Amino acid sequence: MLSAGFFFLMFSKVNACAWYDPDYEYFNLFTQSIIKDKTYLPFLHTLSNRFYGHEHYEIPNENIEAWQKYFENSLNYAETKLLVEKMPMSELNAFKKGNSNNPVLKKLGNYQKHLEAIDYLIEAKYLEPFMKISYGENTDSFYNDSDQPIKNATNLDYNKTISALTSLYNAAKNPEIKLRYGYQLVRFNHYVHQYQKSVDAFKTYVEPLQLKSAPYYLALDQFAGAQRGLQLFDEANWNFFQVFINSKSRKENVFTSMKLSDSVKFDHLLERAKSPQEKNMAYFLLGYEDFSNPIPMMEKMYDLDPNSEILKVLAARSINELERNYLPIYLNNDNPDNAAQGATNQKNPSDKIKNEIVSEIGFWQRVKNFFQNLFKSDQQSSPGKAADQSDKELLNNPNRIPFYSKNNYLWSDEPTVNFLNDFEKLTSKIKEKSDDEFWQIAAAYLSFLKKDYEKSAEILTQIKTANPEYQGEIDRMKMLNDISSEPKITAEYEAYLMKTYPQLFTEITANEENHPYTYGEDQPSTKEFIRDVLANRYYIQGEEGKSFLMSNRLSDLQYNPNSKLVKSVQDFYKKEHKSTLEQKIIAKNIDDVGNIDAFFNVIYGDREMRLANFEKAKKFYELAQDFSGIPRIEYLWNDADQPEIKKMKFDESYNGFHQISSLIFGHNIWESFESPESISMEPVDFATFPFIKDKMNKLELATALIQLQKIGQAKDDQAVQANQMIGNVLYNTSVLGYYREVFVMDVDNSNGPKFHFYNSDQPTFQYYYKNFSSTSFIEPDNFDLSIHYYQKALNLSNNAEQKARILFQMASAEQGKFYQYQEKQTFDLSYDDPDYSTKEAAYIKNVDHTKNQKYRTYFAELKNKYGNTQTSKALQGSCSYYDYFMKKQ
């Protein structure tokens, strides 16, 4: 109990989300459970539970099998289990009196035929509710969740119970039944903390019978527990060890009891081990408990017995551990530790032509499934991605999955070790001496992970097996080799895939609503891996649009409306004569944005608006008038506690195209994104600009800005106001502005990853576009554009109050430029540095000096020239920083 408690406590420290499951972090292509000895299933590799497989497998109980044998197989296993574990004591008493019509008991014949067994079961069922070790908590304990007091062995009268069991033991004629009474005596004494008496009972009632059947090991388990109570730890561990070797169903409990907490105790086991079986098991437990690199223990086990079943358990665990690093469900694109080991970065002449965005690597926010982390990486260039790459170049691309990635687990600080080469050498030796096809399958799989597809396929074709589990794994691996080894995914190969593997692609298309893989559903497996492989291949061969749509829906472009990627996706959308795979798998993801052409044109128009290219924006918006709104999903829970997924309805609010307020031409009174626009924003008098409406769509806004540009070419007061209003729109839609959502494919101005200055570099996509929506990005604002129009207005204006307002707006835009500068500065110094505080202060002083020298020009001009204006004084009351600046000497 304590071991399990500490284990789950450890998990609680790293897992704030109770639904997080690390076993969903890889594709699970190699089925560990194909091992033949299913009693070792609990010891396969898992990071979700203390032991593996409870939800899928029931290990046969040797005690039930012993009873089945005792009853001469007149009952099957299920019936025997019912009799021993579930049947009420009253039913057995009725059978004893000849009054039972129970069909299971009728199969036994009559009471007289098995009277000792029936009497024992009646006694055992009487005792069983009490057979719990007494626990020191009171009735108010956190652990006591029952309305009734919890029974334990101390609730029985000790002397009467011992006397009854001893009498029954002595009266029993059958040694098996006598052994079971001996077990009850050992257990009862153990559970009432009479440890020495429990030890004595084992030596008095169990050992003399010299029976090593199932009840003996049940008794030995209790005997070891009593020895632990007497602090005879080495003796206890040795006896637990014997139970572990000989028991089928109690291995988990016994392993927990052993508490093999350090190598010294294992050394004691190894010192006492005499037979190869005992030594082999000791090595197995050592390899299991310290699994950072299992190869040394496996080598020792191989020397003892290359046909050992438990050697296969460690091998299956090892393959699973490697899989988690070679086949994670999500590769962190900007993590330099993910570089493929041993790969060469081959430069292509066409590198500069294709996909320039991959060189834009920097500091960006990454949201991985349900965990948010920030990563920093040095600028790097991605290997070439071009349609004209040769097969050799494509096959040697270091970003071609699978490859070993140092995918540091969230639940461990231990460095991962790539032991594949050593494991492959060991596997090669074992398969030469073992006749179990498992080792050939393992060798083929390791070659697959190393991308030696030819060798893997050769091994697989030579395997002959009648084991259906083995054959299923072989068939899967043949398909994985076939698809992963293809240098380039062409239209012809797409047709081959659909024809050769119809079942696979039927599964991929079976539930399009839920793909790409959604965390918390069925554990990811083959179909998700094949989807990732295809996305990766399309990516490195230069087909970004197809790669994107293998893992995302078209609507996901809203989170990072990168123009180059958007154009590639649009090109695929417009492609005529799509292949069957493109139609059934890829093109299906372009169905969730309403009018598709309008969706693309809004993205293009928004980009041009942010660049102040209003004429270009207008042309795009003219083609986007049927835009139905930025596609967002709402999850509503019904009375049955089931989610109802609906598209968000915007009604009269801004939807990405319509319902833009004329206040966008005004200026903010104070910076409060949460306040209504009528409180945060102040309108300008645009009575002389009748083309500006109270509510506009983006086409009308672009048209109004074009007209303002024309008016701003004059030299009059109207030109001043026109240029100022253009500057206001550009500032108000920047990251600092109240309407910052308008040109970035967002629905409101609430805080998010698009509205941060640190998010200044285009995210890197080295492998594919999977989890694209986890990283929102917008290209940084060009504050010089708004300053340009403010400067024109300032140069034309003759009104001091107006000039003061314009200069303040220019200073606000200049503040945005400072934030951009500040975010690019680095202060990389260890906290251990003895001069840390001094150096930190010097760094801050330097940044402040740069701010005052380069990024306060308009504040200085406002203070020096227009500090006495009413506008300036009013601004001091609403802007604390400007008030501080004005009061500085």
Side-chain angles (χ1 to χ4, degrees):
M1 279 177 56
L2 289 174
S3 296
F6 280 118
F7 177 83
F8 287 109
L9 179 62
M10 176 189 74
F11 262 68
S12 69
K13 291 179 181 179
V14 298
N15 176 18
C17 303
W19 33 254
Y20 172 70
D21 189 341
D23 279 353
Y24 284 65
E25 289 290 290
Y26 72 111
F27 288 106
N28 196 27
L29 299 182
F30 184 88
T31 307
Q32 295 185 86
S33 58
I34 64 173
I35 60 170
K36 290 179 179 177
D37 190 343
K38 304 303 184 185
T39 65
Y40 287 95
L41 287 176
F43 297 90
L44 294 174
H45 199 22
T46 177
L47 293 169
S48 300
N49 302 295
R50 184 64 180 94
F51 296 101
Y52 175 89
H54 285 277
E55 65 277 21
H56 300 300
Y57 306 103
E58 180 181 357
I59 296 172
N61 188 317
E62 64 272 21
N63 183 46
I64 303 300
E65 291 175 335
W67 275 115
Q68 191 178 0
K69 181 181 178 181
Y70 179 90
F71 290 125
E72 300 172 335
N73 294 312
S74 56
L75 304 178
N76 61 32
Y77 182 88
E79 291 167 335
T80 309
K81 185 178 175 68
L82 175 65
L83 169 65
V84 174
E85 295 183 354
K86 303 293 184 182
M87 190 170 290
M89 185 170 59
S90 59
E91 195 73 48
L92 292 178
N93 278 315
F95 179 66
K96 183 175 181 178
K97 296 175 182 177
N99 298 328
S100 174
N101 291 317
N102 187 287
V104 172
L105 293 175
K106 281 186 175 181
K107 283 189 174 185
L108 294 178
N110 56 52
Y111 164 72
Q112 292 300 325
K113 185 177 180 180
H114 299 294
L115 63 90
E116 285 196 348
I118 299 302
D119 286 346
Y120 170 80
L121 286 173
I122 291 172
E123 178 67 15
K125 288 178 183 291
Y126 167 74
L127 293 173
E128 194 60 30
F130 301 94
M131 286 302 101
K132 301 178 183 68
I133 197 162
S134 60
Y135 184 59
E137 293 286 347
N138 59 38
T139 55
D140 296 325
S141 167
F142 171 81
Y143 300 95
N144 183 11
D145 58 358
S146 172
D147 294 335
Q148 300 298 323
I150 296 175
K151 295 179 181 179
N152 63 63
T154 60
N155 298 130
L156 295 171
D157 184 291
Y158 178 79
N159 292 326
K160 286 184 179 180
T161 303
I162 292 295
S163 176
L165 288 173
T166 304
S167 176
L168 290 167
Y169 175 90
N170 292 327
K173 300 292 189 294
N174 188 294
E176 279 287 324
I177 301 301
K178 190 179 285 287
L179 178 61
R180 290 184 180 278
Y181 283 121
Y183 155 65
Q184 294 288 358
L185 282 162
V186 177
R187 181 170 68 157
F188 178 64
N189 277 299
H190 174 208
Y191 282 176
V192 294
H193 305 288
Q194 295 289 339
Y195 300 130
Q196 186 58 54
K197 290 183 179 180
S198 178
V199 169
D200 294 341
F202 183 84
K203 294 178 179 179
T204 301
Y205 301 110
V206 176
E207 280 186 337
L209 297 175
Q210 297 184 345
L211 288 176
K212 295 292 181 76
S213 57
Y216 171 81
Y217 290 104
L218 289 172
L220 186 62
D221 188 8
Q222 297 295 327
F223 174 57
Q227 287 179 314
R228 183 172 293 282
L230 295 171
Q231 299 188 8
L232 301 171
F233 298 117
D234 286 342
E235 292 298 320
N237 272 357
W238 176 253
N239 287 313
F240 281 134
F241 182 58
Q242 295 300 318
V243 178
F244 186 90
I245 293 174
N246 292 282
S247 172
K248 293 180 182 179
S249 61
R250 296 194 58 77
K251 292 187 186 297
E252 299 170 45
N253 292 333
V254 172
F255 179 82
T256 302
S257 298
M258 289 173 80
K259 296 184 179 179
L260 295 169
S261 56
D262 57 51
S263 60
V264 174
K265 291 180 181 177
F266 251 114
D267 288 343
H268 289 177
L269 283 179
L270 288 169
E271 289 169 4
R272 297 183 65 166
K274 295 182 177 62
S275 69
Q277 181 194 23
E278 289 176 340
K279 292 180 180 179
N280 203 29
M281 190 63 73
Y283 285 131
F284 167 76
L285 291 174
L286 181 57
Y288 175 81
E289 190 71 356
D290 182 16
F291 195 66
S292 58
N293 184 357
I295 305 304
M297 290 301 105
M298 292 178 68
E299 290 277 7
K300 294 178 183 296
M301 294 173 69
Y302 163 75
D303 291 338
L304 285 168
D305 181 9
N307 285 300
S308 168
E309 283 295 315
I310 53 178
L311 182 55
K312 296 169 197 167
V313 179
L314 283 186
R317 287 176 58 85
S318 301
I319 292 174
N320 187 270
E321 175 69 14
L322 288 168
E323 257 197 59
R324 291 169 187 267
N325 288 283
Y326 276 90
L327 304 174
I329 63 166
Y330 176 71
L331 287 165
N332 174 22
N333 285 299
D334 75 335
N335 190 341
D337 283 342
N338 277 351
Q341 289 192 349
T344 56
N345 283 327
Q346 296 187 355
K347 292 293 180 181
N348 224 344
S350 56
D351 283 358
K352 295 181 180 179
I353 300 175
K354 284 289 184 179
N355 197 29
E356 296 174 0
I357 65 167
V358 297
S359 65
E360 299 175 14
I361 301 172
F363 183 67
W364 57 290
Q365 185 182 31
R366 174 177 175 265
V367 181
K368 184 178 180 295
N369 295 323
F370 299 97
F371 294 87
Q372 295 187 353
N373 293 289
L374 295 178
F375 295 87
K376 239 181 184 178
S377 65
D378 296 327
Q379 287 202 347
Q380 52 187 310
S381 60
S382 178
K385 301 195 294 109
D388 59 353
Q389 292 181 78
S390 68
D391 286 356
K392 183 177 180 180
E393 289 170 325
L394 289 167
L395 287 170
N396 290 334
N397 192 305
N399 291 333
R400 185 180 176 92
I401 60 175
F403 59 78
Y404 185 83
S405 61
K406 295 179 181 178
N407 212 31
N408 294 325
Y409 298 125
L410 299 175
W411 54 89
S412 173
D413 293 327
E414 292 295 321
T416 58
V417 178
N418 186 6
F419 51 83
L420 189 149
N421 288 331
D422 291 338
F423 186 31
E424 188 177 40
K425 292 175 185 176
L426 176 60
T427 302
S428 180
K429 288 195 303 184
I430 297 174
K431 72 184 180 72
E432 295 302 320
K433 290 192 176 183
S434 174
D435 57 1
D436 194 322
E437 300 92 345
F438 173 90
W439 296 107
Q440 293 170 279
I441 296 172
Y445 194 78
L446 296 178
S447 294
F448 164 74
L449 291 181
K450 294 182 72 172
K451 293 191 274 196
D452 191 345
Y453 304 116
E454 184 176 350
K455 181 179 178 181
S456 180
E458 181 182 350
I459 295 171
L460 290 171
T461 56
Q462 294 174 355
I463 301 175
K464 307 298 181 185
T465 182
N467 185 316
E469 289 186 302
Y470 285 2
Q471 191 58 56
E473 188 64 35
I474 291 167
D475 293 342
R476 180 193 307 183
M477 289 172 58
K478 285 180 177 179
M479 178 184 66
L480 294 175
N481 274 318
D482 185 7
I483 297 175
S484 300
S485 63
E486 188 65 19
K488 186 174 184 178
I489 311 300
T490 62
E492 292 75 19
Y493 190 71
E494 289 174 346
Y496 163 81
L497 289 178
M498 297 295 287
K499 181 179 179 181
T500 310
Y501 305 110
Q503 177 68 29
L504 171 69
F505 288 96
T506 297
E507 291 176 3
I508 289 177
T509 58
N511 193 2
E512 291 293 329
E513 286 301 315
N514 288 330
H515 88 68
Y517 168 69
T518 302
Y519 208 91
E521 295 177 356
D522 293 339
Q523 186 165 335
S525 187
T526 309
K527 63 180 181 179
E528 288 86 9
F529 174 72
I530 295 302
R531 187 183 285 278
D532 274 15
V533 166
L534 293 176
N536 172 252
R537 303 308 190 251
Y538 291 135
Y539 184 81
I540 63 177
Q541 67 193 40
E543 298 180 80
E544 287 88 352
K546 288 176 69 172
S547 177
F548 173 83
L549 291 169
M550 279 300 300
S551 306
N552 306 277
R553 293 192 178 277
L554 178 60
S555 59
D556 291 329
L557 285 174
Q558 66 181 287
Y559 299 105
N560 180 0
N562 177 284
S563 296
K564 294 183 178 67
L565 176 59
V566 172
K567 181 62 168 63
S568 183
V569 175
Q570 186 182 36
D571 288 344
F572 172 76
Y573 160 63
K574 292 184 175 181
K575 177 184 176 182
E576 298 180 357
H577 310 300
K578 294 181 178 69
S579 70
T580 304
L581 186 148
E582 288 175 333
Q583 293 175 39
K584 291 189 174 182
I585 308 294
I586 304 176
K588 280 195 172 183
N589 290 331
I590 314 179
D591 63 352
D592 64 336
V593 299
N595 187 301
I596 297 170
D597 290 311
F599 179 78
F600 284 120
N601 282 299
V602 167
I603 292 177
Y604 294 139
D606 285 353
R607 176 178 172 81
E608 298 301 335
M609 290 291 275
R610 298 181 81 240
L611 297 175
N613 295 328
F614 306 129
E615 288 280 3
K616 289 184 179 180
K618 179 184 176 184
K619 292 178 181 178
F620 286 118
Y621 289 149
E622 285 174 343
L623 302 173
Q625 295 183 70
D626 291 331
F627 184 70
S628 58
I630 295 174
R632 290 291 173 91
I633 298 298
E634 291 181 302
Y635 293 86
L636 305 175
W637 294 86
N638 58 28
D639 295 336
D641 204 26
Q642 295 294 320
E644 295 180 6
I645 304 174
K646 296 181 179 180
K647 282 193 174 183
M648 183 183 293
K649 293 182 179 180
F650 295 93
D651 298 323
E652 298 300 315
S653 61
Y654 171 71
N655 74 343
F657 191 79
H658 299 279
Q659 299 295 321
I660 300 172
S661 170
S662 60
L663 284 170
I664 199 171
F665 289 99
H667 56 79
N668 60 302
I669 302 171
W670 64 338
E671 188 173 292
S672 176
F673 295 105
E674 295 81 9
S675 300
E677 61 181 11
S678 59
I679 295 177
S680 288
M681 300 298 296
E682 183 172 294
V684 296
D685 182 10
F686 48 80
T688 56
F689 307 107
F691 49 83
I692 296 178
K693 302 177 181 179
D694 288 338
K695 291 290 183 180
M696 296 166 286
N697 61 37
K698 285 185 174 178
L699 176 58
E700 292 168 331
L701 177 59
T703 302
L705 288 166
I706 292 169
Q707 291 180 264
L708 289 174
Q709 277 183 319
K710 293 177 181 177
I711 295 170
Q713 298 303 315
K715 306 292 184 183
D716 54 13
D717 291 342
Q718 199 175 26
V720 175
Q721 190 175 0
N723 284 299
Q724 185 180 6
M725 290 168 66
I726 296 172
N728 285 350
V729 169
L730 293 172
Y731 176 80
N732 290 335
T733 56
S734 74
V735 66
L736 294 175
Y738 185 85
Y739 297 99
R740 56 188 181 179
E741 77 276 14
V742 172
F743 299 133
V744 296
M745 290 295 283
D746 219 323
V747 296
D748 58 44
N749 65 15
S750 57
N751 196 21
K754 290 181 181 179
F755 306 135
H756 295 285
F757 284 96
Y758 61 72
N759 213 11
S760 60
D761 293 306
Q762 184 69 247
T764 309
F765 295 97
Q766 291 177 258
Y767 316 108
Y768 43 40
Y769 289 104
K770 190 175 183 180
N771 282 20
F772 181 85
S773 60
S774 295
T775 306
S776 289
F777 175 78
I778 290 295
E779 294 172 347
D781 294 294
N782 183 354
F783 287 99
D784 285 329
L785 292 173
S786 56
I787 290 174
H788 166 75
Y789 283 99
Y790 285 138
Q791 188 67 61
K792 289 180 69 174
L794 184 69
N795 293 342
L796 293 173
S797 177
N798 294 314
N799 184 301
E801 297 293 339
Q802 189 177 39
K803 283 178 174 284
R805 164 56 65 183
I806 293 171
L807 280 167
F808 183 80
Q809 292 301 107
M810 294 174 77
S812 299
E814 191 177 41
Q815 179 72 7
K817 294 181 66 175
F818 168 71
Y819 290 144
Q820 291 173 337
Y821 155 80
Q822 184 183 39
E823 194 57 45
K824 292 181 179 179
Q825 307 312 300
T826 58
F827 180 63
D828 297 322
L829 189 65
S830 171
Y831 284 114
D832 297 333
D833 191 302
D835 296 324
Y836 182 88
S837 297
T838 302
K839 293 177 180 178
E840 181 187 37
Y843 167 77
I844 295 172
K845 182 177 180 181
N846 181 62
V847 172
D848 286 343
H849 177 75
T850 303
K851 175 177 65 176
N852 291 321
Q853 291 296 312
K854 294 184 177 181
Y855 298 100
R856 290 294 178 262
T857 55
Y858 302 114
F859 264 151
E861 186 175 352
L862 174 57
K863 176 181 178 179
N864 295 333
K865 294 183 179 180
Y866 305 100
N868 293 324
T869 61
Q870 291 300 316
T871 300
S872 176
K873 293 175 181 178
L875 288 170
Q876 283 182 255
S878 60
C879 177
S880 58
Y881 184 84
Y882 178 60
D883 181 56
Y884 165 77
F885 187 85
M886 287 293 291
K887 292 175 181 178
K888 283 180 62 180
Q889 297 297 323

